[in-house]
Amino acid sequence: ESEKTQLIVSRNNGKNLFYIQTRDTVLSKPGVRRAMAMALDLDELAAAASNGTGEANGSMVSQDSVYFSETQKKRLPYDIEAAKKELADAGYNGEPITIIANKRGNVPSFPPAVMAQAMMQQVGLNIQIEVLDYATQVDRRRSGNYQVISQSVAPRLDPVLMYAFYVGNKDKNASLMWDDPKAIELMKAAYVEADPAKRQTIFDEFHELMLKEMPGIFLYDMVDVWGATKKLKGQPVWQSNTRLWEVSVDD
């Protein structure tokens, strides 16, 4: 900041996450995926990857959502010994796992991958990183040709719209992450349910199932960092867009 400018830090409903290919030979076992999640000190990773602007959130539901309940705050514990046990029980034997990342400056893809690699190696996971240009990374995700992808997903205002980006029939759409029949059933139920209390129950059940299956590891909600004149009053940023109401400029 300077005398004339201000820094505006605004969280949005977008997601920074690790996609996991649940059909991969090694990663098809939920125990391996849970071990990956338990190897991460998510608070430390989120703070470092976001330069202190982001806060860990292991849910598909945004922290700013009315549906971000106590259940949504649950994450698998950061527990190195428990992670090692999960790997042993799953029969993991040092097989290589590659995280695909890109180095675009406006999204945290590469830094979380590097931190996750170091943390996951501590529990015995053999993690490699492959850096691709963004277009190639998108092609790999859409074709399902990956093990893990470090990426960001733009804001979607209702949790079920976020679910729809990840959940569904992978035979029909290879870009989807999770094809658990119960997850699909819960997503469809949330689409047609209007009662907020009943929707909350659906979202909470979905999150509990996600913690068991870990089809992906959600790191933290996306953060917008904008600069503006100090004359600007109000909150001019909303969901990565400029917000022009209830905003004024002092002369």
Side-chain angles (χ1 to χ4, degrees):
E1 293 198 32
S2 71
E3 287 179 21
K4 293 185 177 180
T5 61
Q6 60 173 316
L7 199 62
I8 298 163
V9 179
S10 175
R11 185 167 58 206
N12 66 51
N13 285 7
K15 291 287 169 190
N16 300 303
L17 73 148
F18 295 138
Y19 258 81
I20 301 176
Q21 177 51 275
T22 56
R23 291 186 173 181
D24 177 77
T25 314
V26 181
L27 299 171
S28 60
K29 296 171 179 174
V32 175
R33 304 195 298 261
R34 284 194 299 268
M36 291 169 73
M38 286 192 284
L40 297 181
D41 182 338
L42 208 54
D43 294 309
E44 186 185 319
L45 187 150
S50 68
N51 295 315
T53 61
E55 188 182 346
N57 176 14
S59 170
M60 279 197 207
V61 176
S62 163
Q63 284 172 285
D64 294 332
S65 170
V66 294
Y67 295 110
F68 191 71
S69 63
E70 285 302 312
T71 298
Q72 300 298 328
K73 292 177 186 174
K74 287 186 189 174
R75 347 195 263 259
L76 291 184
Y78 169 50
D79 190 329
I80 287 175
E81 292 312 312
K84 287 178 178 176
K85 185 177 186 311
E86 286 274 17
L87 289 179
D89 291 348
Y92 176 76
N93 196 28
E95 295 92 343
I97 296 169
T98 299
I99 301 176
I100 292 174
N102 68 75
K103 287 193 174 177
R104 287 192 305 161
N106 63 326
V107 291
S109 171
F110 185 67
V114 172
M115 283 179 276
Q117 180 186 42
M119 290 174 179
M120 289 179 184
Q121 282 174 344
Q122 290 188 315
V123 304
L125 285 156
N126 178 4
I127 305 290
Q128 320 289 325
I129 297 175
E130 182 180 6
V131 177
L132 298 174
D133 65 273
Y134 183 61
T136 307
Q137 177 178 314
V138 170
D139 283 345
R140 291 279 292 272
R141 179 179 61 77
R142 287 180 176 162
S143 66
N145 177 21
Y146 64 90
Q147 286 182 297
V148 182
I149 294 179
S150 176
Q151 79 158 76
S152 303
V153 171
R156 283 155 176 77
L157 295 187
D158 189 88
V160 79
L161 300 177
M162 193 54 90
Y163 289 0
F165 193 79
Y166 306 106
V167 178
N169 185 333
K170 289 171 77 138
D171 291 324
K172 290 183 178 174
N173 182 354
S175 76
L176 295 171
M177 185 169 74
W178 198 19
D179 59 357
D180 180 283
K182 182 64 181 174
I184 295 170
E185 182 187 314
L186 288 166
M187 177 179 72
K188 287 179 176 174
Y191 260 113
V192 297
E193 183 56 67
D195 182 318
K198 289 180 180 171
R199 293 189 95 219
Q200 185 71 67
T201 302
I202 293 167
F203 295 144
D204 288 352
E205 190 179 341
F206 185 99
H207 185 62
E208 295 278 14
L209 181 63
M210 201 176 96
L211 293 180
K212 286 194 190 85
E213 296 277 325
M214 290 313 290
I217 303 172
F218 286 79
L219 307 173
Y220 64 101
D221 297 340
M222 282 175 68
V223 180
D224 296 310
V225 180
W226 294 45
T229 171
K230 275 201 173 151
K231 294 179 181 179
L232 189 69
K233 306 298 179 205
Q235 177 53 271
V237 182
W238 183 76
Q239 301 299 331
S240 294
N241 294 297
T242 46
R243 176 181 180 270
L244 300 177
W245 61 95
E246 296 176 358
V247 178
S248 60
V249 178
D250 291 350
D251 287 333

